[in-house]
Amino acid sequence: MDAMSDQSAPVGPGAVPLDPADAHVATASASDANWVFVETLDKHDGLRERHRFLSLPIGIGTAYRNDLILDGDDHRDGLHSAARIVRGDDGGLWVEALDGAPDLWAPGGKTRRWRVDGNASFIVGGQRLRVRTADFVPAPAPRVPVLRGVGSKAWLWALPLALVTLLFEVWIGDLDGERQSVYLTTVFSAAMVLALWAGAWALVSRLTGRVSHFLTHLALAAMAVVALFVLDYAFDTLAFSFNLAIIQKYDYALVGLVIGALVWCHAFLVVRTHARTAAVAAVLVGGALFAFQALGAYNQRGSLASSSTLSVLRPPSLRVATGHSSAEFFSDTATLKLRQRAESSRPEKPEGNDYSFDE
Amino acid sequence: MIRVSRTAASRIAAALAALALALAASVRAAETASLPPPSAAGQRLFDSARDKLVQLRVLTRAGSSQSTVGSGFLIRTDGTALTNYHVVSLLVMEPQRYRAEYVRVDGKRGAVKLLGFDVVHDLALVQLEGVTQAAHFNLRPEAEPLRQGEKIYSLGNPLDLGFAISEGTYNGIVERRLYDTIHFTGALNPGMSGGPGLDEAGRVIGVNVAGTGGELANLLVPLAYVRALLAAPPPVSPDKTAVTPQLLQHQDAMMRALMGAPFPTQSLGPATVPVGNEKLMRCWGQSNAKPDKPWRTESISCNLQSSLYIEQSFNTGSVRWTHTYRRGEKLGALKFSAWHARSMGGTAAGGEKPSRFLTRSHCNEDFVTMAATGKRSKTVARVSTCVRAHREFEGLFDMSLNVTSVDRDIEGLTSTLELRGVSFANGMRLQQAFVEASGWTP
């Protein structure tokens, strides 16, 4: 788009470029009911500029005879008029492609004529546009659900809680009570990592919006740490209590799930990217973490389990599953032999070492 | 200033020089006197043995690079020689990649053909190609058993430096080993493996086999096993297919020795644990109880000296176990359980990944309640057993057992048992007996 003309006096039939930040100041009266606002958008439908037009039709194209002048490119005729906005017989606003070479994309695909919907965007000459009238009522801005009820102060409880869970992890392994420095190191390291993570997301927020939401990102990261710890501890306890070792062997997937969810929360709820973009980012990050751990387990023991057997214990009072006799246990090992027989007959090339070397 | 005439000075210098020469001569004489005189028997033995000794070299087929070096000795006129299995193991396990040659004391070389082997007692019979009408060693008759303190000699090519003789003493049969092994007090170095042990008459009394890690405490294979190998019919094909039956026999012998009688037990804190026959097993204890610590551990480790060398990267046929008692009175149940759990997981013997010799590990696990008996109160434990099959030797398995008590808040017992190269049935039988012999003392 021709920036010079956008920043100057009204173009075309009474076009007035508005600063998006000042949009809320414009209040339409009854006499302004015919005002038409054409908004130029980025590829995510984010508002770039808003232009007010006082009459119809509104010509859109690269030529300077148009009311809204689009940026040209090497392949487009400089006298090109791509589309115009008119009032249709039904009283509604329509956008029409011109010149017999349709270059209008609306929801549903390429078209020659499309009835304007204030909630949808269309593309003319490669530029994404949206048209609204003075009586358009915008939907209320979505709030960040995670902060609902607690506002931006969630970090005040989330961060200490995260640090406490990490300190618990250190404490549980501190047999001699002689590792005060480790407690301090843990607190500082964890706080630093959380701040770096939140800072990175705050930067993304600032680059794509106007506010960094650092504390909100920090609260989310801290909550993820707590969730990870609580879920892991709960799953391990379940595995021990009910003799479900499989839960513990594969609970490393929690890391991918929780971090994936965290990325989605950062991206969708705070940065407000598209739901699909946020979901893709979450799946990519969470999936990469899961794959990294799964591959590590496979390289170590040739299976995706994190350990061969249950490797956590809880106090005896938490054990619900009952024990079998040793005779029952050992009579049940015949399946092991069958599995090993199948395994040894498999012409499997061992992992990690190349034994196929021929001289 | 004192002036000394030229004549007087030269006289003093001459006197000092004479004194220095006299001192040097007396030191040399003293040094000569302090060394033992060369053993006439040793010199005679080495001279008579020279033609009967060989160095054996295992070489890569592609590049003829030296892979292993050992010693051997002729025992028949037709060029049949004896050595250790571990010297020529690559000919058994990877004949497509390795070949062997011998080098005699006079530098003559030739190819080596494997005739047979005894992997259990680490012996091998080889044919030195091109050697006929050879002088050879004779075996000491069975009717003349060795006496402790008797002088014996070990010959071989230590460290590939050249043929050598080492004087030493026969100190009987090593205690607490599954198979008889001669305790030779004398030097034995790498490269001498497969060389002969001789008595003063130059007759073979054993075959050099291994060091113990202790200074001058070394091992020879007794003659009984040599005679058995010489008497055995030659195998159809002396390759790795002949290893499996020997390993199966070995594990049978191992299990008979271990399970011939109920497990002897011993107290470990408030627990009773199996420790094995003290004439067979070697056990070590450890305690790190300290008054200023809120926890303490006591442990016992036992192993059966029965491990067999199969190839450089693979040993089998061994049994060992460990019991660890932990108590953390001031830790509390939560912290204690986390500490106690450190001994769990990763229970597969020798790792869990599949390898050339072993399949991937598969495990069974459960809570097991051991009922109260006269010697044990009721004990509940988390029991896991992991099994890996031998790829090269069908019917043999490596097994790992972990028994971790889960019924007390601030004290616990963990017992682990590692079995390598056992049959499935034998392994499970031993594991069950082991589990049933462990528990809290009433």
Side-chain angles (χ1 to χ4, degrees):
Chain A
M1 187 152 19
D2 186 342
M4 290 297 287
S5 63
D6 290 339
Q7 299 304 319
S8 62
V11 290
V16 181
L18 299 174
D19 187 325
D22 297 333
H24 66 281
V25 177
T27 306
S29 63
S31 61
D32 304 327
N34 289 327
W35 288 358
V36 174
F37 295 88
V38 181
E39 296 171 342
T40 58
L41 309 174
D42 62 22
K43 63 180 181 179
H44 299 304
D45 280 1
L47 180 65
R48 279 184 177 164
E49 288 164 351
R50 181 178 289 125
H51 302 265
R52 185 175 61 194
F53 294 90
L54 306 179
S55 60
L56 295 169
I58 302 166
I60 302 171
T62 52
Y64 275 72
R65 65 168 180 262
N66 289 296
D67 304 312
L68 183 63
I69 304 166
L70 305 178
D71 283 344
D73 63 38
D74 295 343
H75 306 290
R76 189 170 291 125
D77 175 7
L79 300 174
H80 186 82
S81 288
R84 66 179 178 186
I85 298 167
V86 298
R87 189 165 298 283
D89 296 339
D90 58 353
L93 289 177
W94 288 75
V95 55
E96 297 173 344
L98 300 176
D99 291 344
D103 199 9
L104 169 62
W105 291 80
K110 194 184 275 188
T111 182
R112 291 196 57 78
R113 200 160 181 269
W114 177 68
R115 194 181 196 280
V116 167
D117 175 356
N119 287 312
S121 61
F122 60 96
I123 298 170
V124 172
Q127 173 62 52
R128 191 175 286 270
L129 299 167
R130 185 168 57 205
V131 174
R132 287 174 174 170
T133 53
D135 56 354
F136 181 79
V137 180
R143 300 179 64 186
V144 180
V146 76
L147 296 178
R148 190 170 291 160
V150 288
S152 60
K153 292 190 169 53
W155 71 276
L156 287 173
W157 56 264
L159 184 62
L161 200 56
L163 296 178
V164 166
T165 57
L166 293 169
L167 287 176
F168 177 80
E169 284 278 286
V170 178
W171 173 81
I172 205 101
D174 181 12
L175 295 183
D176 299 326
E178 294 173 346
R179 295 164 62 182
Q180 285 86 349
S181 62
V182 178
Y183 290 90
L184 281 175
T185 309
T186 303
V187 167
F188 285 123
S189 307
M192 196 175 70
V193 169
L194 287 172
L196 281 173
W197 175 270
W201 279 104
L203 185 63
V204 175
S205 288
R206 186 68 186 82
L207 290 174
T208 56
R210 287 179 168 270
V211 187
S212 65
H213 294 300
F214 174 79
L215 293 177
T216 309
H217 287 300
L218 184 65
L220 279 174
M223 284 183 229
V225 169
V226 177
L228 197 56
F229 171 81
V230 170
L231 286 172
D232 183 53
Y233 203 84
F235 280 9
D236 286 353
T237 304
L238 272 179
F240 170 81
S241 300
F242 295 97
N243 190 17
L244 297 169
I246 193 166
I247 293 179
Q248 192 247 318
K249 289 178 193 173
Y250 294 97
D251 69 1
Y252 64 80
L254 278 175
V255 178
L257 282 174
V258 170
I259 300 300
L262 175 64
V263 167
W264 186 85
C265 289
H266 281 305
F268 184 70
L269 299 181
V270 185
V271 179
R272 296 188 191 173
T273 58
H274 270 236
R276 196 175 61 182
T277 309
V280 168
V283 169
L284 282 178
V285 174
L289 275 173
F290 175 78
F292 180 74
Q293 293 175 96
L295 283 174
Y298 190 80
N299 282 334
Q300 199 177 340
R301 58 183 57 83
S303 84
L304 296 181
S306 63
S307 63
S308 304
T309 55
L310 186 76
S311 58
V312 294
L313 289 179
R314 293 288 180 262
S317 54
L318 291 178
R319 184 172 59 83
V320 177
T322 52
H324 296 96
S325 71
S326 62
E328 284 171 325
F329 177 81
F330 285 101
S331 69
D332 192 34
T333 52
T335 51
L336 270 180
K337 190 176 185 181
L338 293 175
R339 284 155 76 189
Q340 282 298 348
R341 189 168 287 165
E343 184 90 26
S344 56
S345 62
R346 191 194 307 173
E348 183 181 355
K349 188 176 171 185
E351 293 296 324
N353 297 305
D354 182 10
Y355 293 104
S356 62
F357 176 68
D358 289 313
E359 292 179 4
Chain B
M1 187 177 176
I2 300 170
R3 296 186 61 139
V4 181
S5 70
R6 191 182 179 92
T7 313
S10 58
R11 269 193 212 122
I12 290 168
L16 285 173
L19 185 62
L21 282 171
L23 273 172
S26 65
V27 168
R28 271 201 301 273
E31 279 176 351
T32 309
S34 68
L35 287 173
S39 159
Q43 284 180 340
R44 181 175 47 78
L45 271 180
F46 187 73
D47 287 342
S48 67
R50 287 173 65 87
D51 296 342
K52 307 167 194 171
L53 290 173
V54 289
Q55 185 190 38
L56 294 170
R57 296 174 175 176
V58 177
L59 313 165
T60 58
R61 284 192 185 277
S64 289
S65 304
Q66 197 163 280
S67 181
T68 53
V69 178
S71 302
F73 57 97
L74 286 155
I75 50 163
R76 286 178 188 149
T77 52
D78 62 359
T80 303
L82 202 59
T83 185
N84 288 137
Y85 164 83
H86 76 256
V87 172
V88 293
S89 63
L90 289 169
L91 299 186
V92 177
M93 298 302 295
E94 298 182 72
Q96 71 284 6
R97 291 172 59 184
Y98 294 95
R99 64 184 180 86
E101 69 173 22
Y102 66 85
V103 182
R104 302 187 71 175
V105 176
D106 58 10
K108 285 181 184 165
R109 294 162 184 251
V112 170
K113 185 184 165 194
L114 189 64
L115 297 175
F117 56 86
D118 176 354
V119 71
V120 175
H121 302 108
D122 204 353
L123 293 171
L125 268 181
V126 293
Q127 176 71 47
L128 309 183
E129 293 188 351
V131 177
T132 53
Q133 302 298 315
H136 63 86
F137 288 105
N138 292 314
L139 307 185
R140 177 166 166 142
E142 274 181 278
E144 293 179 39
L146 286 161
R147 291 159 298 155
Q148 186 147 12
E150 191 174 332
K151 189 165 272 190
I152 55 176
Y153 303 84
S154 171
L155 286 82
N157 195 328
L159 306 169
D160 199 17
L161 298 174
F163 289 95
I165 183 165
S166 164
E167 290 190 24
T169 314
Y170 170 77
N171 268 308
I173 297 298
V174 176
E175 293 175 358
R176 283 179 287 194
R177 279 180 83 89
L178 186 59
Y179 303 112
D180 286 351
T181 310
I182 291 173
H183 178 183
F184 168 61
T185 305
L188 207 59
N189 287 300
M192 294 177 79
S193 291
L198 304 177
D199 62 11
E200 287 195 289
R203 296 172 301 184
V204 177
I205 53 95
V207 181
N208 305 337
V209 67
T212 58
E215 200 173 336
L216 298 183
N218 293 302
L219 308 176
L220 306 183
V221 182
L223 217 46
Y225 302 124
V226 174
R227 287 199 175 92
L229 179 63
L230 292 171
V236 178
S237 55
D239 56 20
K240 60 186 172 187
T241 57
V243 176
T244 307
Q246 297 185 20
L247 294 182
L248 284 168
Q249 279 181 4
H250 169 69
Q251 65 91 33
D252 264 336
M254 211 162 62
M255 290 299 148
R256 271 199 308 277
L258 285 169
M259 300 193 65
F263 267 120
T265 55
Q266 183 180 320
S267 289
L268 181 66
T272 301
V273 295
V275 286
N277 184 341
E278 66 177 295
K279 289 179 181 170
L280 194 65
M281 307 283 293
R282 193 164 266 124
C283 295
W284 303 94
Q286 197 177 8
S287 168
N288 60 0
K290 291 178 185 170
D292 58 329
K293 298 281 184 192
W295 52 271
R296 68 185 173 100
T297 64
E298 287 172 39
S299 62
I300 301 173
S301 302
C302 298
N303 70 329
L304 179 66
Q305 303 275 309
S306 60
S307 180
L308 303 181
Y309 178 99
I310 302 297
E311 205 192 280
Q312 196 168 17
S313 59
F314 190 66
N315 285 32
T316 189
S318 62
V319 177
R320 67 175 180 182
W321 59 71
T322 304
H323 306 285
T324 306
Y325 167 72
R326 295 184 182 83
R327 184 172 176 84
E329 206 155 355
K330 295 174 189 164
L331 295 179
L334 196 63
K335 215 167 182 177
F336 177 80
S337 62
W339 176 42
H340 194 35
R342 289 184 197 172
S343 59
M344 301 171 72
T347 50
E352 300 160 22
K353 277 181 70 177
S355 68
R356 176 188 160 198
F357 288 101
L358 295 166
T359 61
R360 190 157 59 94
S361 161
H362 283 114
C363 305
N364 260 19
E365 57 180 326
D366 207 342
F367 290 113
V368 169
T369 303
M370 289 162 276
T373 63
K375 291 182 178 175
R376 183 188 62 204
S377 61
K378 182 184 168 189
T379 306
V380 184
R382 182 77 188 173
V383 178
S384 64
T385 177
C386 295
V387 178
R388 309 177 74 185
H390 285 222
R391 284 184 191 277
E392 302 273 6
F393 312 118
E394 196 182 342
L396 290 168
F397 298 83
D398 281 10
M399 300 181 178
S400 299
L401 176 75
N402 183 300
V403 186
T404 301
S405 69
V406 294
D407 53 355
R408 296 195 178 182
D409 279 338
I410 52 156
E411 62 183 351
L413 174 70
T414 301
S415 298
T416 61
L417 170 65
E418 276 192 24
L419 303 170
R420 299 202 178 191
V422 295
S423 72
F424 195 87
N426 274 342
M428 287 301 160
R429 214 153 46 91
L430 183 66
Q431 288 189 50
Q432 187 171 351
F434 183 83
V435 168
E436 286 170 358
S438 310
W440 300 116
T441 311

